[in-house]
């Protein structure tokens, strides 16, 4: 059981060879495609975090059989084209936006009635972005505030594919519509202003579906999927989560004498925008052992401390580092110059309003971070000191503050409300001991 708060003292360095836990986005998708596919799907490197276990439980409520074969190793027997089982109770996505939005697409396309809900934070997050296009595909969805917030009541079935232009580049919206389209008549076509993480596209193909993709000269991305395609169960190993590795990349860049090797981490380019931002700052990580599994590239990264300049982050780069903005903000507090992050208003509707929460909490530790309507401005370098801070129930804020506590020049950092870290990275707390030298 994780404690409710952490006390973090400054570290001397981080050191070690470490394999990060499985990727959260990819684990969710493996479970969902495993639920829909024919036969067994065997998933190694499964991220056994609260969010992914919510998706797994939901798949079981919908008729999948799931068995834990070993640590981080699950076998799922899917429905294989049979309709999903109508759940006898509400489906609870907990804190997980990915579970809620991707499953909304699956549920809307099945001839069953279901009620989808989540925790207090998730019930505040916007659902119009999936409900509106699903309704256009023919779905019957009701819910709070004209179905723009959970809980949603979904009477699914009989969808038809549509062409849809998403106003924001969101992998959750794109994936929701592709999953709905998989069981719809005709073709579903999703165009996004720039490419968001493409794990769903890669995994659908690994499970035997065919789809077409196009990038326009302006950077818009279009994916077309024909409905009623069968999926075949697969055996796959989930790469390590780059977004979890990012916290320790930052620690190793900022602590003198650090030496960290991160093995088997996912380096899908739609996820590694942080490396591009770091390159702007003059920081280059060494790579080795590049390979590919189920369409997803992995590598070993070698990280040592390096001096950093400022970064200018915006435009098409943003979706590929959206979850890394809190930790990039911390890095920017130690970089020479003024960093600006723009075009990132989506941060306001994550697990917390990350623009406000990261700025407020890092300022308590001596940073100079200014919230902007669509991003952040950071003046660096500023020495940080320990302080009493709050996660706002947001796992990525909690972990960023823990790394901030490690790199602080002096004093203890007391971080309240850290249980949320279980949603994505249950092992994080133990690493504060095993990777850190004091
Ligand atoms: C995710 C997509 C992103 C990301 C989230 C996971 C996914 O959200 O922030 O942590 O697995 O599809 P959006 O689709 O809302 O950008």
């Amino acid at each position: 059981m994780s404690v409710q708060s952490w006390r973090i003292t400054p570290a001397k360095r981080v050191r070690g060879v470490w394999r990060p836990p499985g990727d959260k986005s990819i684990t969710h998708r493996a479970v969902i495609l495993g639920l829909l596919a024919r036969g067994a799907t065997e998933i190694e490197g499964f991220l056994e975090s609260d969010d992914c276990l919510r998706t797994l439980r939901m798949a079981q409520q919908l008729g999948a059989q799931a068995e834990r074969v070993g640590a981080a190793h699950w076998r799922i027997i899917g429905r294989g084209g049979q309709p999903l089982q109508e759940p006898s109770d509400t489906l609870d996505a907990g804190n997980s936006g990915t579970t809620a939005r991707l499953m909304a697409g699956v549920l809307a396309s099945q001839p069953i009635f279901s009620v989808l809900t989540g925790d207090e934070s998730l019930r505040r997050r916007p659902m119009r972005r999936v409900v509106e296009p699903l309704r256009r595909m023919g779905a019957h969805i009701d819910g709070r505030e004209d179905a723009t917030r959970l809980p949603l009541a979904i009477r699914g079935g009989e969808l038809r594919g549509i062409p849809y232009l998403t106003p924001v580049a969101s992998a959750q919206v794109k994936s929701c519509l592709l999953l709905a389209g998989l069981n719809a008549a005709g073709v579903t076509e999703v165009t996004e202003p720039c490419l968001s993480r493409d794990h769903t596209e890669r995994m659908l193909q690994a499970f035997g579906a065919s789809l077409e993709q196009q990038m326009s000269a302006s950077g818009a991305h279009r994916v077309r999927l024909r409905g009623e395609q069968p999926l075949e169960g697969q055996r796959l190993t989930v790469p390590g989560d780059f977004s979890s590795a990012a916290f320790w990349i930052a620690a190793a860049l900022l602590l003198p004498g650090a030496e960290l090797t991160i093995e088997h981490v996912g380096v899908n380019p739609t996820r590694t925008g942080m490396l591009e931002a770091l390159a702007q700052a003059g920081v280059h990580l060494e790579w080795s052992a590049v390979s590919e599994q189920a369409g997803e590239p992995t590598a070993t990264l070698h990280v040592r401390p390096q001096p950093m300049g400022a970064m200018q982050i915006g435009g098409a780069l943003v979706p590929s580092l959206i979850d890394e903005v809190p930790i990039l903000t911390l890095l920017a507090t130690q970089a020479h110059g003024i960093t600006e992050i723009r075009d990132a208003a989506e941060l306001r509707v994550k697990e917390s309003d990350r623009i406000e929460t990261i700025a407020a909490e890092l300022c308590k530790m001596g940073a100079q971070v200014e919230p902007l309507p669509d991003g952040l401005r950071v003046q660096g370098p500023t020495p940080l000191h320990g302080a009493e801070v709050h996660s706002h129930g947001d796992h990525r804020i909690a972990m960023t503050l823990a790394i901030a506590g490690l790199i602080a020049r002096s004093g203890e950092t007391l971080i309240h409300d850290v249980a949320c870290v279980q949603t994505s990275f249950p092992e994080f707390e133990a690493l504060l001991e095993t990777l850190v030298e004091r």
Side-chain angles (χ1 to χ4, degrees):
M1 246 298 267
S2 173
V3 289
Q4 296 302 301
S5 61
W6 288 333
R7 288 179 185 278
I8 311 277
T9 51
K12 218 188 292 160
R13 60 177 147 258
V14 297
R15 212 183 253 284
V17 178
W18 167 64
R19 180 174 173 153
D23 186 276
K24 179 153 77 76
S25 291
I26 297 175
T27 303
H28 283 301
R29 287 156 173 83
V31 173
I32 294 172
L33 295 197
L35 159 70
L36 299 174
R38 204 173 60 150
T41 288
E42 198 135 333
I43 310 167
E44 289 186 72
F46 189 113
L47 174 66
E48 291 173 318
S49 73
D50 283 356
D51 277 11
C52 298
L53 293 172
R54 291 282 179 181
T55 300
L56 184 74
R57 244 169 262 139
M58 225 178 255
Q60 288 173 303
Q61 284 178 279
L62 294 165
Q65 288 169 39
E67 180 196 350
R68 190 172 192 264
V69 182
H73 184 176
W74 286 79
R75 183 181 301 124
I76 296 177
I77 311 290
R79 301 291 292 178
Q82 296 296 311
L84 299 186
Q85 180 181 298
E86 190 165 73
S88 58
D89 201 350
T90 50
L91 302 170
D92 188 352
N95 192 246
S96 175
T98 307
T99 307
R101 298 205 180 103
L102 270 57
M103 290 305 291
V106 171
L107 296 166
S109 73
Q110 293 282 329
I112 56 173
F113 172 77
S114 58
V115 177
L116 186 61
T117 191
D119 72 5
E120 201 190 329
S121 151
L122 189 56
R123 280 183 271 122
R124 280 196 300 267
R125 294 179 65 188
M127 293 295 149
R128 184 197 300 275
R129 52 183 61 197
V130 291
V131 169
E132 201 240 339
L134 287 173
R135 281 179 171 166
R136 281 171 53 182
M137 293 175 80
H140 299 282
I141 305 180
D142 207 345
R144 236 159 31 97
E145 299 175 30
D146 189 27
T148 60
R149 305 262 186 261
L150 298 178
L152 298 176
I154 304 175
R155 181 162 294 286
E158 304 281 308
L159 299 190
R160 58 191 174 276
I162 56 162
Y164 188 71
L165 176 65
T166 65
V168 286
S170 159
Q172 291 179 358
V173 173
K174 172 175 63 176
S175 304
C176 165
L177 300 182
L178 291 175
L179 290 166
L182 200 57
N183 203 28
V187 173
T188 297
E189 182 183 288
V190 186
T191 306
E192 47 185 352
C194 54
L195 179 61
S196 64
R197 63 188 70 189
D198 62 357
H199 305 302
T200 303
E201 294 91 310
R202 288 174 189 246
M203 202 179 289
L204 278 169
Q205 293 176 94
F207 276 66
S210 66
L211 45 82
E212 291 161 35
Q213 299 186 75
Q214 256 179 327
M215 286 292 275
S216 77
S218 68
H221 172 248
R222 174 170 300 163
V223 50
R224 297 179 92 241
L225 174 82
R226 191 172 31 78
E228 296 163 318
Q229 294 192 55
L231 300 179
E232 290 296 330
Q234 297 295 314
R235 199 184 170 114
L236 57 109
T237 302
V238 178
D241 198 323
F242 184 86
S243 297
S244 297
F247 298 103
W248 295 100
I249 292 175
L253 287 174
L254 295 176
L255 286 167
E259 215 177 324
L260 187 63
T261 297
I262 306 177
E263 294 179 331
H264 195 75
V265 61
V267 288
N268 177 324
T270 64
R271 293 289 297 284
T272 54
M274 177 178 170
L275 300 181
E276 229 174 285
L278 287 173
Q280 273 187 33
V283 170
H284 297 276
L285 305 194
E286 231 182 279
W287 297 35
S288 60
V290 180
S291 68
E292 192 167 309
Q293 228 267 325
E296 291 285 349
T298 63
T300 296
L301 300 181
H302 305 275
V303 198
R304 283 164 180 273
Q306 291 173 46
M308 277 188 71
M311 299 167 278
Q312 300 303 318
I313 297 170
L317 188 56
V318 171
S320 64
L321 50 67
I322 191 74
D323 290 343
E324 284 63 74
V325 170
I327 194 68
L328 275 166
T329 305
L330 172 64
L331 281 161
T333 69
Q334 304 307 305
H336 289 264
I338 297 177
T339 291
E340 263 198 11
I341 303 170
R342 305 306 298 256
D343 305 319
E346 274 293 298
L347 292 170
R348 293 200 179 274
V349 291
K350 295 292 180 189
E351 287 83 330
S352 70
D353 176 343
R354 287 185 177 157
I355 291 176
E356 298 300 330
T357 54
I358 200 60
E361 300 305 318
L362 286 179
C363 285
K364 291 178 189 169
M365 300 180 73
Q368 289 182 33
V369 182
E370 185 193 337
L372 303 173
D374 65 342
L376 295 139
R377 184 178 295 124
V378 187
Q379 169 79 61
T382 46
L384 301 187
H385 54 76
E388 185 170 348
V389 290
H390 204 285
S391 75
H392 299 264
D394 184 333
H395 55 132
R396 298 200 200 282
I397 302 298
M399 291 185 279
T400 300
L401 294 171
I403 303 299
L406 293 179
I407 67 144
R409 298 279 168 86
S410 61
E412 181 184 83
T413 299
L414 171 61
I415 311 171
H416 291 291
D417 196 7
V418 296
C420 51
V421 169
Q422 298 297 316
T423 61
S424 69
F425 198 169
E427 185 196 346
F428 183 86
E429 191 177 347
L431 294 169
L432 289 168
E433 298 302 324
T434 53
L435 290 181
V436 174
E437 284 178 24
R438 288 213 158 68

